[in-house]
């Protein structure tokens, strides 16, 4: 467990400082210093680990809180019959229809129609962010509104679960473990459990060191003796995907945030191929730093 | 003369300082290595500009016994020049990474100097006589007309002003793909090793076109690289044994009799990390920057960012002694990472009888760690205490809380003034301490 108390700089700043160091090392006299860059990559790994743990913990906490709140609200006000219709409606909505998220949320949740509904969406959105990527790949519809429906999707699943009437006509099976708060669902072939389970795993900080090393040293794609330039392309790819899945969310202005995610993911999908082909380290590192900056702005803004 | 013992009952006093006085430091003048020869009579320094300067200890002045003999410039030469590797589009720095003296065999002195890629064997010889009276040549070298020669004479040697010549006798090239960090002469006086980030090569001093690779830690897939070699040294007496340290804080001892390729170590020295000290920078501060055998060959010393550790070669699982050099920096690691100071590679050295070790720190401080008395002292190399035979006053750093008089607070430390390279005379209590561009020589106070 990394002790972050003594550090006045947070994990995210360390990540950008480290990337800058790696970038600068390419232009230093005497060639790339293998030892120094190796040490910088360790700091990068540690900072990333802490950053992701913090973000997942935050999301997990928010999710816990929201789920508890929802249970309470629904026990008070929910009409089971309304819920069935909503679920069926929702199934049709997946993979296609452009619906504004707020109204969809409103439809799903008889309880509230304004900000709270957005709030309810919130943790699920974070949860569904990796799913959105899956959805995108399968449905091939990188439309921001698509994410709305997918984001909203997760929630009624939970609704089904919380409802005392479990004999639904929804074509979903959901189990909520009230101890661990892991929502397991199978719906339309998408396994929702993955995100929550992986969130939990991240919270526990269980990471494979071997995998980490591999990702760290995709940086050294080819032998130094063969390619003098660093190609941090694959590193950039990894950074993008990891950050994308751990974005913090704002209670207001969900559509803006999702459009950022949307551009992030579509950008990521198209950029992956570019990055892998680009041998010009300058280009890649700029991409890495630029994308890092985008996430930084998003985080700061929200 | 003492046997080179004593740390704290010894009082150190200023003897000399070499180098420019002005604060504006030219980058080429930055000292990058300091080394006494085996007798201590010669002191060599290398700098970032690729030059080697050798100082010689003057024979003792009997009329002034308090003033021990001084070191004066003996020879200066350009060892390495900047090069360009066209194949890889890489500039090769001329900075001298290490100098190692060969034991003296005849009138001439030999040393090895290395930059990132090339090792050179230099012969330093004196010329104080010159032949005169050639038959076929005039004194200025012009050839005489054979027809004018009527007599023959035997040329004779006549004294001349002492001239010290340095000539490169061997150039060992193309042995290393990565940056050379260490060279070490074997006790057999025939071979030496050179180490870069991933490989260690064994050379014969006479053979320049071939070297033997003894250690190779390069992974098949560079993406799986987790550690690099940071320093290597031959055992002082056992010509088959050498050690190398890694960026992960481990030291491996290898026996060349066991196999031709020493990828498999004979001993692995490693201390488990204290989990309560884990931070973002744990890997950086555990990286070993220097490893040195004791003169008696029973111990070795390692330097990492915050501490010095003494290891008994017979005990692999932990060091026998650990000394904190500047523990007050542990809470400053973030800033030190930002300004790159955390990557500074400090060296360390033993005194002649292995009772005291010395290493550098920031603010031009250096630390003397007395093993026998378990005491330590912090001294400073500064222009302020440059009066002849002025005794150095111990310095103290205030880590936090109320600062006492004469203490300096951590935040006032100048991290641009770092002492990375120090050397101890093999027999006497004379030390050479290199600040950025100055070389300080301190001696034991003689009463």
């Amino acid at each position: 467990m990394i002790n972050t108390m003594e550090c006045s700089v947070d994990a995210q700043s360390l990540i950008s400082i480290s990337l800058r160091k790696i970038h600068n090392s390419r232009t230093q006299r005497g060639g790339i210093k293998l030892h120094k860059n190796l040490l910088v990559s360790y700091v990068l790994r540690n900072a990333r680990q802490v950053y992701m743990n913090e973000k997942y913990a935050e999301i997990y906490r928010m999710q816990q809180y929201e789920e508890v709140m929802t249970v309470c609200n629904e026990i008070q006000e929910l009409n089971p019959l309304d819920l069935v219709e909503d679920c069926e409606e929702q199934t049709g909505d997946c993979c296609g229809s452009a619906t504004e998220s707020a109204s969809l949320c409103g439809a799903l949740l008889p309880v509230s129609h304004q900000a709270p509904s957005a709030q309810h969406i919130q943790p699920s959105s974070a949860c569904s962010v990796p799913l959105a990527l899956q959805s995108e790949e399968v449905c091939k519809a990188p439309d921001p509104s698509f994410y709305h429906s997918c984001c909203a999707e997760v929630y009624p699943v939970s609704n089904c679960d919380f409802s005392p009437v479990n004999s639904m006509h929804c074509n979903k099976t959901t189990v909520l473990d009230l101890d661990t708060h892991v929502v397991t669902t199978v719906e339309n072939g998408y396994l929702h459990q993955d995100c929550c389970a992986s969130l939990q795993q991240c919270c526990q900080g269980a990471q494979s060191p071997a995998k980490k090393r591999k990702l760290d040293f995709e940086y050294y794609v080819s032998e130094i003796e063969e390619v003098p330039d660093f190609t941090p392309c694959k590193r950039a790819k990894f950074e993008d995907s990891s950050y994308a899945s751990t974005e913090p969310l704002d209670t207001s202005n969900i559509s803006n945030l999702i459009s950022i995610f949307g551009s992030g993911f579509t950008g990521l999908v198209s950029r992956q191929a570019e990055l892998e082909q680009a041998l010009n380290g300058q280009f890649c590192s700029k991409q890495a730093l630029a994308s890092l900056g985008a996430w930084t702005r998003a985080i700061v803004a929200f | 003369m003492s046997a080179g013992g004593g740390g704290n009952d010894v009082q150190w006093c200023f003897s000399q300082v070499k180098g420019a006085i002005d604060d504006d430091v030219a980058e080429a003048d930055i000292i990058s290595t300091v080394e006494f020869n085996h007798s201590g009579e010669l002191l060599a320094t290398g700098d970032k500009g690729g030059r080697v300067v050798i100082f010689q200890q003057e024979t003792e002045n009997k009329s002034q016994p308090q003033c021990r003999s001084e070191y004066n410039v003996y020879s200066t030469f350009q060892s390495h020049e900047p090069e360009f590797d066209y194949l890889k589009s890489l500039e090769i720095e001329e900075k001298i990474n290490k100098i190692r003296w060969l034991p003296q065999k005849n009138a001439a002195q030999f040393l090895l100097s290395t930059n990132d890629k090339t090792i050179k064997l230099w012969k330093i010889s004196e010329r104080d006589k010159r032949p005169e009276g050639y038959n076929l040549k005039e004194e200025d070298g012009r050839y005489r007309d054979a027809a004018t020669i009527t007599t023959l004479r035997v040329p004779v040697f006549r004294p001349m002003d002492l001239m010290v010549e340095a000539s490169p006798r061997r150039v060992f090239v193309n042995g290393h793909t990565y940056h050379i960090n260490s060279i070490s002469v074997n006790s057999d006086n025939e071979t030496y090793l050179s180490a870069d980030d991933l490989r260690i090569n064994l050379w014969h001093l006479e053979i320049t076109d071939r070297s033997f690779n003894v250690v190779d830690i390069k992974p098949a897939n560079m993406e799986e690289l987790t550690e690099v070699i940071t320093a290597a040294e031959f055992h002082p007496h056992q010509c088959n044994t050498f050690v190398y340290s890694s960026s992960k804080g481990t030291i491996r001892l290898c026996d060349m009799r066991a196999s031709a390729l020493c990828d498999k170590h004979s001993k692995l020295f490693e201390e488990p990390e204290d989990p309560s000290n884990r931070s973002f920078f744990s890997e950086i501060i555990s990286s070993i920057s220097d490893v040195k055998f004791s003169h008696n060959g029973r111990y070795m010393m390692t330097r990492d960012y915050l501490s010095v550790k003494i290891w008994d070669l017979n005990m692999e699982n932990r060091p026998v002694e650990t000394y904190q050099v500047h523990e007050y920096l542990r809470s400053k690691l973030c800033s030190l990472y930002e300004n790159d100071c955390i990557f500074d590679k400090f060296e360390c050295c033993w005194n002649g009888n292995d009772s005291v070790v010395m290493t550098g720190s920031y603010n031009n401080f250096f630390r003397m760690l007395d093993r026998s008395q378990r005491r330590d002292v912090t001294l400073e190399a500064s222009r302020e205490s440059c009066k002849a035979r002025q005794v150095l006053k111990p310095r103290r750093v205030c880590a936090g809380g109320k600062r006492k008089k004469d203490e300096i607070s951590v935040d006032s430390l100048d991290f641009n003034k770092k002492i990375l390279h120090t050397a101890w005379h093999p027999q006497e209590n004379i030390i050479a301490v290199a600040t950025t561009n100055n070389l300080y020589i301190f001696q034991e106070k003689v009463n």
Side-chain angles (χ1 to χ4, degrees):
Chain A
M1 186 60 200
I2 290 173
N3 175 16
T4 56
M5 292 298 289
E6 68 203 28
C7 192
S8 55
V9 177
D10 66 350
Q12 200 191 328
S13 308
L14 269 183
I15 288 166
S16 49
I17 291 168
S18 302
L19 286 175
R20 204 177 308 129
K21 283 190 197 295
I22 291 172
H23 178 62
N24 289 340
S25 77
R26 299 178 64 252
T27 51
Q28 268 169 9
R29 210 175 153 236
I32 296 159
K33 290 178 177 37
L34 186 60
H35 184 200
K36 183 177 176 184
N37 282 282
L38 178 69
L39 296 178
V40 169
S41 71
Y42 274 116
V43 174
L44 202 50
R45 180 195 72 168
N46 294 338
R48 193 177 60 208
Q49 207 167 30
V50 167
Y51 178 79
M52 283 168 66
N53 287 348
E54 283 173 359
K55 289 304 160 195
Y56 277 130
E58 195 183 308
I59 290 163
Y60 185 68
R61 273 195 306 272
M62 287 195 307
Q63 193 183 36
Q64 263 185 300
Y65 172 75
E66 293 305 335
E67 285 172 358
V68 166
M69 287 305 296
T70 314
V71 171
C72 298
N73 289 333
E74 288 181 6
I75 286 168
Q76 290 168 10
E77 297 179 47
L78 194 60
N79 181 341
L81 291 174
D82 286 344
L83 184 59
V84 175
E85 286 162 32
D86 290 339
C87 288
E88 284 172 351
E89 207 175 9
Q90 175 48 35
T91 316
D93 278 343
C94 180
C95 288
S97 66
T99 327
E100 212 280 312
S101 74
S103 58
L104 188 57
C105 296
L108 292 169
L109 294 167
V111 177
S112 54
H113 305 273
Q114 322 95 352
S117 69
Q119 276 181 2
H120 293 304
I121 288 294
Q122 185 178 324
S124 325
S125 303
C127 197
S128 67
V129 150
L131 298 173
L133 182 57
Q134 279 180 12
S135 316
E136 180 188 65
E137 285 171 354
V138 172
C139 300
K140 305 229 185 313
D143 179 16
S145 58
F146 173 71
Y147 296 122
H148 298 187
S149 53
C150 280
C151 291
E153 193 179 297
V154 179
Y155 204 78
V157 166
S158 308
N159 276 346
C160 290
D161 214 36
F162 293 142
S163 165
V165 181
N166 276 328
S167 55
M168 296 294 147
H169 294 295
C170 354
N171 50 359
K172 308 177 257 294
T173 12
T174 312
V175 174
L176 170 70
D177 183 333
L178 289 173
D179 287 330
T180 61
H181 296 278
V182 173
V183 178
T184 311
T185 321
V186 179
E187 182 184 45
N188 295 334
Y190 301 154
L191 185 64
H192 292 230
Q193 178 201 26
D194 292 345
C195 68
C196 301
S198 65
L199 278 180
Q200 208 173 29
Q201 201 178 20
C202 284
C203 290
Q204 289 157 8
Q207 307 248 8
S208 150
K211 181 168 183 270
K212 276 227 163 324
R213 272 199 293 281
K214 182 178 199 325
L215 290 160
D216 283 345
F217 290 98
E218 284 176 340
Y219 196 67
Y220 301 97
V221 161
S222 41
E223 296 245 345
I224 290 192
E225 48 222 275
E226 288 150 16
V227 179
D229 286 336
F230 265 174
T231 52
C233 317
K234 290 184 181 171
R235 172 187 290 284
K237 178 178 85 177
F238 177 78
E239 305 271 59
D240 282 347
S241 56
S242 66
Y243 290 146
S245 57
T246 59
E247 273 305 316
L249 301 161
D250 191 30
T251 53
S252 63
N253 228 345
I254 286 290
S255 57
N256 277 357
L257 189 65
I258 289 172
S259 66
I260 288 171
F261 281 175
S263 68
F265 280 114
T266 51
L268 189 65
V269 168
S270 61
R271 225 185 291 157
Q272 276 178 11
E274 281 172 24
L275 288 177
E276 281 168 6
Q277 282 159 24
L279 291 176
N280 182 354
Q282 190 81 23
F283 168 78
C284 288
S285 57
K286 275 187 181 152
Q287 288 283 3
L289 289 172
S291 57
L292 191 64
W295 297 128
T296 312
R297 282 193 294 280
I299 290 159
V300 167
F302 298 109
Chain B
M1 300 290 173
S2 79
N8 290 321
D9 40 1
V10 170
Q11 288 211 294
W12 292 96
C13 49
F14 172 82
S15 174
Q16 295 170 278
V17 61
K18 309 283 186 193
I21 299 172
D22 50 74
D23 287 329
D24 201 13
V25 181
E27 196 169 322
D29 294 337
I30 295 173
I31 297 171
S32 51
T33 185
V34 181
E35 187 81 358
F36 279 101
N37 75 337
H38 292 266
S39 64
E41 184 206 356
L42 297 175
L43 176 62
T45 61
D47 64 22
K48 240 184 156 191
R51 292 165 303 201
V52 171
V53 179
I54 301 175
F55 302 92
Q56 184 188 41
Q57 192 179 27
E58 296 301 327
T59 46
E60 214 166 291
N61 190 342
K62 291 202 168 63
S63 63
Q64 277 188 297
Q66 311 96 304
C67 178
R68 277 242 204 93
S69 37
E70 290 193 337
Y71 283 84
N72 297 318
V73 176
Y74 179 64
S75 173
T76 305
F77 57 92
Q78 186 76 32
S79 171
H80 287 72
E81 298 274 5
E83 288 172 54
F84 199 80
D85 182 337
Y86 294 97
L87 202 61
K88 299 171 201 169
S89 293
L90 283 180
E91 192 178 359
I92 301 168
E93 276 190 290
E94 67 276 30
K95 171 167 80 85
I96 308 296
N97 292 337
K98 283 285 169 5
I99 289 173
R100 289 288 182 263
W101 290 93
L102 268 59
Q104 193 173 10
K105 277 197 275 196
N106 50 38
Q109 300 278 357
F110 288 86
L111 62 78
L112 286 169
S113 69
T114 185
N115 68 349
D116 284 339
K117 297 286 182 183
T118 305
I119 307 142
K120 294 186 183 179
L121 177 69
W122 289 88
K123 177 181 177 183
I124 296 103
S125 47
E126 292 181 1
R127 193 193 289 271
D128 61 359
K129 293 187 279 286
R130 129 180 108 206
E132 285 176 18
Y134 282 106
N135 293 291
L136 299 175
K137 276 195 294 192
E138 303 286 358
E139 293 308 325
D140 59 8
R142 278 180 303 130
Y143 279 95
R144 290 166 71 185
D145 182 6
T148 63
I149 299 168
T150 52
T151 59
L152 284 179
R153 56 184 174 167
V154 176
V156 291
F157 276 102
R158 299 229 186 274
M160 58 178 263
D161 289 337
L162 178 67
M163 202 165 72
V164 181
E165 299 170 323
S167 59
R169 306 302 287 178
R170 306 272 186 276
V171 181
F172 304 90
V173 287
N174 296 328
H176 290 277
T177 307
Y178 301 96
H179 295 136
I180 297 173
N181 52 55
S182 311
I183 47 175
S184 177
V185 183
N186 203 348
S187 51
D188 65 7
N189 288 338
E190 285 184 351
T191 57
Y192 73 95
L193 63 77
S194 59
D196 67 24
D197 292 320
L198 298 178
R199 298 191 178 103
I200 301 178
N201 292 336
L202 185 69
W203 302 82
H204 192 284
L205 286 164
E206 299 292 327
I207 300 166
T208 58
D209 60 354
R210 268 170 292 156
S211 76
F212 189 74
N213 175 250
V214 287
V215 173
D216 188 341
I217 64 166
K218 187 178 173 192
N221 184 359
M222 273 298 268
E223 295 172 12
E224 288 158 12
L225 181 73
T226 58
E227 65 182 327
V228 296
I229 297 168
T230 53
E233 193 176 61
F234 264 118
H235 190 278
H237 312 309
Q238 296 165 17
C239 58
N240 54 284
T241 306
F242 66 91
V243 293
Y244 68 93
S245 59
S246 84
S247 55
K248 273 193 169 172
T250 63
I251 309 102
R252 285 173 176 80
L253 185 140
C254 299
D255 186 336
M256 294 194 290
R257 296 171 302 188
S259 70
L261 198 56
C262 296
D263 281 359
K264 227 177 109 186
H265 53 263
S266 298
K267 293 193 184 186
L268 173 67
F269 298 85
E270 190 176 13
E271 185 178 28
E273 190 197 345
D274 180 3
S276 66
N277 271 338
R278 183 115 184 87
S279 76
F280 289 115
F281 313 105
S282 293
E283 286 85 2
I284 302 185
I285 63 171
S286 63
S287 175
I288 292 174
S289 53
D290 194 17
V291 65
K292 292 265 172 47
F293 276 105
S294 60
H295 290 95
N296 59 20
R298 285 181 52 198
Y299 300 96
M300 65 178 174
M301 162 167 57
T302 57
R303 175 72 155 98
D304 50 65
Y305 191 65
L306 296 178
S307 68
V308 160
K309 295 180 183 176
I310 312 282
W311 302 78
D312 185 322
L313 293 186
N314 297 316
M315 188 161 74
E316 297 170 57
N317 58 354
R318 61 176 176 84
V320 287
E321 293 152 39
T322 302
Y323 300 94
Q324 300 304 327
V325 179
H326 36 217
E327 183 67 13
Y328 47 79
L329 295 184
R330 195 180 285 275
S331 56
K332 307 284 176 194
L333 294 179
C334 259
S335 326
L336 294 167
Y337 178 70
E338 284 182 72
N339 63 17
D340 269 2
C341 283
I342 206 173
F343 301 105
D344 288 333
K345 296 191 183 154
F346 291 94
E347 292 174 8
C348 52
C349 60
W350 297 84
N351 72 341
N353 66 4
D354 301 331
S355 61
V356 185
V357 297
M358 170 168 64
T359 189
S361 179
Y362 293 103
N363 208 69
N364 282 348
F365 287 172
F366 58 99
R367 302 265 287 140
M368 299 278 213
L369 310 162
D370 191 327
R371 298 179 61 213
S372 44
Q373 297 179 32
R374 292 304 225 145
R375 283 191 290 176
D376 56 271
V377 69
T378 304
L379 301 172
E380 183 181 358
S382 82
R383 290 271 175 183
E384 276 85 52
S385 37
C386 273
K387 288 200 285 277
R389 295 186 297 284
Q390 177 178 359
V391 174
L392 294 180
K393 208 174 64 167
R395 303 303 308 256
R396 265 192 239 294
V397 177
C398 167
K402 205 158 143 48
R403 187 178 73 88
K404 299 197 194 87
K405 184 172 172 287
D406 282 352
E407 277 186 356
I408 180 167
S409 78
V410 184
D411 299 313
S412 313
L413 295 174
D414 188 343
F415 290 97
N416 290 320
K417 293 186 178 167
K418 50 192 92 170
I419 291 177
L420 303 174
H421 312 287
T422 59
W424 204 311
H425 191 289
Q427 277 115 39
E428 298 167 22
N429 272 344
I430 302 173
I431 54 175
V433 171
T435 58
T436 308
N437 65 330
N438 287 152
L439 184 72
Y440 286 79
I441 298 171
F442 300 106
Q443 294 183 359
E444 183 180 15
K445 182 168 189 264
V446 180
N447 294 319

